[in-house]
Amino acid sequence: MHQSASAGHAHRGPDAIGDMLRRAGLRPTRQRAALAAILFGQGDRHVTAETLYDEARQAGVPVSLATVYNTLHQFSDAGLLRAIAVDTTRTHFDTNTGDHHHFYLEATNEVIDMPAAFIRVENLPDPPEGCEITKVDVIVRVRAVANRK
Amino acid sequence: MHQSASAGHAHRGPDAIGDMLRRAGLRPTRQRAALAAILFGQGDRHVTAETLYDEARQAGVPVSLATVYNTLHQFSDAGLLRAIAVDTTRTHFDTNTGDHHHFYLEATNEVIDMPAAFIRVENLPDPPEGCEITKVDVIVRVRAVANRK
DNA sequence: ATTTGTGCAAATCGTTTGCATCTGA
DNA sequence: TCAGATGCAAACGATTTGCACAAAT
């Protein structure tokens, strides 16, 4: 233990991650902190349990896939992440919890953020009786153009 | 066998279903025709493999879950159905293949069509380089209002 | 010390597939 | 007849869970 507490090179400042976790009511354990560092240390990101798991392992973080799943859900529940349903087979998580939408490249399973400013959904009908809108998701599915015409 | 061939009460006319299947290049077999009748005989519908399977069995149609899955995919590939990704756990299919969007009731896993006329997505950003938009899905997630205020 | 998290492996769940059998044209 | 369908059960991949062990407060 000599590199975590107060250095100054972390992408998010000293113990920002520990604080973020504590604020979210989560104990800053080794793997949680490590996963959080990967997730929140470099701008907005999109991951699936598998990709985060692989990344963590490659970074030398000893963590199990089960813990990655648990952690992703804890982070989502805490509002640090948001799950997005673009792909029926895998669950994608987005570190950008703000209001925005997505591009989805079906070919590569890649999710790309689209700033909210860029989309305006007009003329929404009223929700079914007795319901209120909780979220509006716009997914723009794209495909690589075969070859130039 | 005395009630299926030519009566006149089918919701889609005499052998509309057989024709629809043939046009789609699919042989109108017992289970395919029966599933098609359930799907297309009563206006636009949303089903999952499970719900369609249950419905078919209740209707006395002898069919296996595997065949329901196969059939749903054949219908989708043929353009008779469209799969929608609202729910990460299950795949939902929509008999309305036209341009429209959806409400999704998270509480009941229910999907409700929203006519295209009602939504206008404005100010879409350009797709990532080398990509073209294949589809824009808008999902309005709603929740039952707790109780009236 | 207690409480909470973690890892592993086994259990689940939706979905797909292999293969022997059956059916429609 | 014979290609194409169907059913079953086993295979699968993503995700969850139970439980013994380890770490955080």
Side-chain angles (χ1 to χ4, degrees):
Chain A
M1 291 74 173
H2 62 286
Q3 55 156 25
S4 61
S6 57
H9 63 290
H11 300 226
R12 269 192 171 242
D15 199 28
I17 287 180
D19 291 343
M20 159 185 283
L21 293 178
R22 264 181 285 269
R23 255 180 271 117
L26 297 170
R27 280 214 302 224
T29 62
R30 267 193 225 317
Q31 11 285 91
R32 268 210 290 240
L35 294 177
I38 293 176
L39 289 170
F40 309 111
Q42 42 188 300
D44 293 330
R45 306 209 47 196
H46 299 95
V47 301
T48 63
E50 276 293 318
T51 62
L52 180 55
Y53 174 67
D54 291 345
E55 222 180 308
R57 304 294 292 218
Q58 279 177 37
V61 179
V63 69
S64 72
L65 185 53
T67 296
V68 170
Y69 273 104
N70 291 336
T71 303
L72 284 172
H73 288 142
Q74 292 157 354
F75 286 5
S76 298
D77 293 346
L80 301 174
L81 285 180
R82 177 198 282 202
I84 41 190
V86 272
D87 181 339
T88 319
T89 62
R90 261 171 282 285
T91 300
H92 292 257
F93 293 87
D94 188 347
T95 61
N96 179 348
T97 56
D99 189 16
H100 68 290
H101 301 295
H102 302 94
F103 278 119
Y104 181 60
L105 289 98
E106 328 219 56
T108 59
N109 273 341
E110 215 178 330
V111 176
I112 300 175
D113 275 355
M114 187 188 299
F118 271 104
I119 281 222
R120 182 126 310 131
V121 177
E122 311 261 315
N123 200 22
L124 263 188
D126 292 327
E129 29 63 52
C131 291
E132 61 182 346
I133 295 176
T134 57
K135 189 159 60 134
V136 176
D137 285 337
V138 178
I139 296 165
V140 178
R141 293 168 197 279
V142 302
R143 158 184 65 196
V145 178
N147 51 8
R148 69 190 55 275
K149 164 75 62 49
Chain B
M1 287 82 169
H2 63 285
Q3 56 157 21
S4 60
S6 57
H9 62 289
H11 300 227
R12 267 190 171 244
D15 200 27
I17 287 179
D19 292 343
M20 158 185 282
L21 293 178
R22 264 182 286 269
R23 258 181 268 117
L26 297 168
R27 277 213 304 222
T29 62
R30 266 191 227 319
Q31 11 286 91
R32 266 207 295 239
L35 294 176
I38 294 176
L39 288 170
F40 309 112
Q42 40 188 301
D44 293 330
R45 305 208 48 196
H46 299 94
V47 301
T48 62
E50 277 293 319
T51 63
L52 179 56
Y53 175 66
D54 291 345
E55 221 179 308
R57 304 294 292 218
Q58 279 178 38
V61 179
V63 69
S64 72
L65 185 54
T67 296
V68 171
Y69 274 104
N70 291 336
T71 303
L72 285 172
H73 288 142
Q74 292 157 354
F75 286 4
S76 297
D77 292 346
L80 301 174
L81 285 181
R82 176 197 281 204
I84 40 189
V86 273
D87 181 339
T88 319
T89 63
R90 259 172 284 284
T91 299
H92 292 256
F93 293 87
D94 187 348
T95 61
N96 179 347
T97 56
D99 189 16
H100 69 290
H101 300 295
H102 302 94
F103 279 120
Y104 182 58
L105 288 100
E106 326 220 57
T108 58
N109 273 342
E110 216 180 329
V111 176
I112 300 174
D113 275 355
M114 187 188 298
F118 272 103
I119 280 222
R120 181 124 312 131
V121 176
E122 310 260 315
N123 202 21
L124 264 188
D126 293 327
E129 29 64 52
C131 291
E132 60 181 347
I133 294 176
T134 57
K135 190 161 61 138
V136 177
D137 286 336
V138 177
I139 296 165
V140 178
R141 294 169 196 280
V142 303
R143 159 182 65 198
V145 178
N147 51 7
R148 67 190 57 276
K149 164 75 62 47

